[in-house]
Amino acid sequence: MTITTAKQPAARALTLAPLAIAAMLWSAQCRADWKITPQLELRETYSDNVALLPDNVAQGSWVSQISPSVSVIENGPRLKLNGNARFNSYAYSNSDAPNLRNNDSQYNANGQADLIDQLLYMDGSASSSRQTISAFGPNSSNSFSNNNNADLRTWRISPYLRHRFGSFADLEVRYARDSVSGGGAGYGDSMSSTRSANLNGGSSRGVFGWGLSYYHQDLDEQYAGRSSMQSSQANVRYFIVRRFALTASAGYDDYEYQVATGNTSGRSWSAGFDWEPSSRTSVKANWGRRYFGKTAALDASYRTQHTNASLVYSDQVTTSRQQFLVSSSFDTAAMYNNLFASIYPDPALRQEAVKAYIAQLGLPATLTNSINYLSNRYERDRRLQGNLAFRGSRSGLVFSVFSDRRNSLSLAQTDSALLGDPLSNYNDNIKQRGASASFDYRLSQRTTANASLYTQHSTSLDGAASGSNTDLRLGLTHAFAARMNGTVEFRHSRGDYGLNSAPYHENAISAMLALIY
């Protein structure tokens, strides 16, 4: 298939990043109160399989780690910014152990700016993180092994206009430019440009609503070449009663990517309902058809004073790069944010309270779900995920269970540089199932016990391969002072090492001291 998308030079696009940051910082409100929090962590670990190698070649080592970090939060009326950066340096007693990192760094930043009041806005984000290369290999919380992981960098800039046409309709027109790079040999650097528009309106009494949307993305990847996706849609909503509405949509999808057989475009439609029986309960569901077959979607949530539960099913065409730009990890803070809503109505104060709560109890920022393995191909991703968070007077629990199936739509040859020609079909049809949980219990005003468990199983239905990973962590966190915490932790990891399914095990114990300035 011939793609006519015009290529834009990467160097020119990169110049947008500092311009966007300067624009977001442009306004008097940016000189409001900024909260900058430096932190230093010192950690000593002993691992009996420090590099996560197969059991027959495992080697142990002491690991000394120093990790300075900083977080920045700004919640001004026209600028909101949330960012953090961390640097890790490692020293090993066993200098012969292979595939270990001497240092690494991660950062993550998100910002929203009101450039011209009620007209022009801008969103921006940037990140650098460690990502799993293959669904068949080690996937542990071990931070110093280089096996089956790579560093990926992303950034995204999105200026947009919003305008209200009285009581008739609301318009949003948006442009976005983003980049994903890194990942090592075989996973190509990529850039995309996206244009979208949404017009939504309804009757004055809110009984009837309608919307029009347009989306177009041009994507240029190092190995997959140029591709594009375009979608146009019209939707309606009609309230039968005050809290129950019927929904419907119709449109057309036009994707252009390399494919051997089959359609990449066609009409789409859906029908469903939105039901909100109370302010604590919401159910949205629809079913329909797109060019690749029948589809369905579900988004249900329920919360009480102490619990927050959700069940989500999605069926979409996506790419691994798109998932890296919009993280699919289970966000612990987002779940607790809903639980703290009744206590802290102000969003800024609630964000600070949730952050302090997670830090005090030693909870992970996210719970890993299905592995977003590296691939250069377009995929159909069908995912079912259930989440639960509980907060009691002395304990807390966050839990996630998932089932995910990805079917590749574009040609396997685009992954040959990543997997090799004989193995390029291993990403054709992958099914993943698993669960993750984190539990904490406050033993005293200063001491908390915590435990977390992650288990996952992957199967390549076309490549006849499978692999599993399990990661268990038990710890005690003690607050020595208002700005000094200590943690002792035991970790046990086990799983399959790559496509040959050789088993690996790791037992590790660590002690950590954190100083918050």
Side-chain angles (χ1 to χ4, degrees):
M1 178 178 291
T2 301
I3 310 297
T4 58
T5 303
K7 183 177 180 181
Q8 300 187 26
R12 180 182 177 185
L14 286 172
T15 62
L16 291 174
L19 291 176
I21 295 173
M24 294 178 67
L25 298 178
W26 171 77
S27 71
Q29 285 77 6
C30 295
R31 296 189 292 272
D33 294 335
W34 289 65
K35 183 169 184 179
I36 302 175
T37 308
Q39 181 171 321
L40 178 66
E41 288 186 11
L42 305 173
R43 184 185 296 267
E44 190 70 22
T45 303
Y46 178 78
S47 169
D48 63 0
N49 187 2
V50 67
L52 298 181
L53 297 172
D55 290 342
N56 60 335
V57 292
Q59 297 186 41
S61 178
W62 287 94
V63 184
S64 300
Q65 177 181 342
I66 181 170
S67 303
S69 63
V70 63
S71 67
V72 179
I73 297 176
E74 159 64 8
N75 278 299
R78 296 184 62 180
L79 175 67
K80 300 186 183 301
L81 179 66
N82 192 334
N84 59 79
R86 178 186 178 98
F87 177 79
N88 303 305
S89 179
Y90 309 104
Y92 306 94
S93 63
N94 182 0
S95 58
D96 296 328
N99 296 325
L100 296 177
R101 293 174 175 240
N102 293 322
N103 56 72
D104 61 18
S105 60
Q106 299 94 36
Y107 57 83
N108 186 67
N110 292 276
Q112 301 86 40
D114 182 350
L115 301 180
I116 301 177
D117 190 32
Q118 299 184 28
L119 179 64
L120 178 61
Y121 306 84
M122 179 173 288
D123 294 343
S125 65
S127 70
S128 175
S129 60
R130 182 181 302 189
Q131 301 292 344
T132 303
I133 295 175
S134 170
F136 309 102
N139 184 31
S140 166
S141 54
N142 176 325
S143 63
F144 24 81
S145 171
N146 250 334
N147 277 325
N148 197 37
N149 60 73
D151 294 323
L152 282 182
R153 298 173 300 279
T154 71
W155 58 260
R156 182 177 183 271
I157 304 162
S158 180
Y160 57 101
L161 294 168
R162 281 181 176 171
H163 182 70
R164 172 167 291 183
F165 296 95
S167 60
F168 170 68
D170 295 329
L171 173 67
E172 178 179 295
V173 179
R174 181 184 290 265
Y175 174 79
R177 184 71 167 162
D178 59 59
S179 168
V180 177
S181 59
Y187 186 70
D189 296 349
S190 60
M191 276 193 177
S192 76
S193 296
T194 304
R195 300 172 294 280
S196 63
N198 293 278
L199 182 66
N200 296 291
S203 62
S204 59
R205 296 184 179 181
V207 176
F208 176 78
W210 58 270
L212 300 172
S213 64
Y214 173 79
Y215 178 92
H216 182 96
Q217 182 182 84
D218 295 323
L219 176 60
D220 192 355
E221 293 184 298
Q222 183 177 350
Y223 292 100
R226 303 177 194 174
S227 61
S228 68
M229 59 183 77
Q230 181 173 291
S231 176
S232 303
Q233 189 178 86
N235 63 80
V236 294
R237 174 185 299 180
Y238 180 75
F239 281 87
I240 298 178
V241 293
R242 189 168 66 92
R243 293 185 176 273
F244 185 88
L246 296 178
T247 62
S249 69
Y252 192 85
D253 296 324
D254 186 9
Y255 285 70
E256 293 189 7
Y257 50 78
Q258 296 180 0
V259 62
T261 59
N263 295 324
T264 62
S265 61
R267 291 187 295 271
S268 65
W269 64 267
S270 70
F273 64 88
D274 291 354
W275 181 40
E276 295 185 10
S278 70
S279 60
R280 297 174 178 267
T281 306
S282 173
V283 180
K284 298 180 180 180
N286 67 68
W287 57 94
R289 176 177 287 275
R290 295 182 63 185
Y291 73 90
F292 50 81
K294 296 180 179 179
T295 65
L298 172 67
D299 187 351
S301 63
Y302 174 74
R303 66 179 177 88
T304 66
Q305 183 178 358
H306 298 288
T307 61
N308 184 19
S310 65
L311 180 64
V312 179
Y313 175 77
S314 61
D315 184 356
Q316 60 181 338
V317 176
T318 186
T319 60
S320 65
R321 76 176 302 277
Q322 187 171 345
Q323 296 302 308
F324 290 134
L325 286 164
V326 182
S327 175
S328 59
S329 296
F330 171 57
D331 191 343
T332 308
M335 294 293 285
Y336 275 112
N337 184 73
N338 291 328
L339 291 179
F340 279 66
S342 59
I343 305 174
Y344 299 95
D346 181 77
L349 294 177
R350 185 165 66 247
Q351 181 183 19
E352 286 296 301
V354 170
K355 183 179 179 180
Y357 180 80
I358 291 175
Q360 179 186 7
L361 300 182
L363 298 176
T366 60
L367 293 180
T368 307
N369 49 39
S370 58
I371 298 173
N372 186 31
Y373 52 86
L374 301 189
S375 176
N376 299 303
R377 305 168 69 180
Y378 279 81
E379 301 170 317
R380 179 184 181 183
D381 184 12
R382 286 168 284 184
R383 176 181 300 171
L384 177 65
Q385 182 165 335
N387 304 318
L388 173 67
F390 167 80
R391 184 178 66 88
S393 59
R394 298 178 66 92
S395 62
L397 170 71
V398 287
F399 175 75
S400 177
V401 61
F402 63 86
S403 177
D404 183 274
R405 182 165 179 175
R406 296 191 187 184
N407 297 90
S408 294
L409 301 176
S410 53
L411 291 178
Q413 284 83 344
T414 57
D415 272 348
S416 59
L418 182 66
L419 301 173
D421 287 329
L423 304 177
S424 59
N425 69 328
Y426 273 85
N427 284 345
D428 281 356
N429 190 358
I430 291 183
K431 185 176 184 179
Q432 299 184 57
R433 290 181 177 178
S436 56
S438 177
F439 175 77
D440 62 85
Y441 184 80
R442 193 169 72 246
L443 300 173
S444 67
Q445 191 68 25
R446 290 178 173 267
T447 306
T448 302
N450 47 70
S452 65
L453 174 67
Y454 167 71
T455 181
Q456 172 267 344
H457 181 78
S458 300
T459 303
S460 175
L461 301 180
D462 293 339
S466 63
S468 299
N469 285 283
T470 300
D471 194 70
L472 171 67
R473 302 169 68 180
L474 304 172
L476 282 174
T477 299
H478 181 76
F480 296 104
R483 296 181 176 273
M484 183 170 65
N485 298 326
T487 299
V488 177
E489 182 183 79
F490 168 77
R491 179 178 70 244
H492 173 74
S493 302
R494 64 171 63 185
D496 299 314
Y497 188 86
L499 295 173
N500 60 7
S501 294
Y504 76 90
H505 295 78
E506 182 203 24
N507 295 290
I509 188 167
S510 65
M512 184 271 289
L513 182 67
L515 305 173
I516 304 172
Y517 297 96

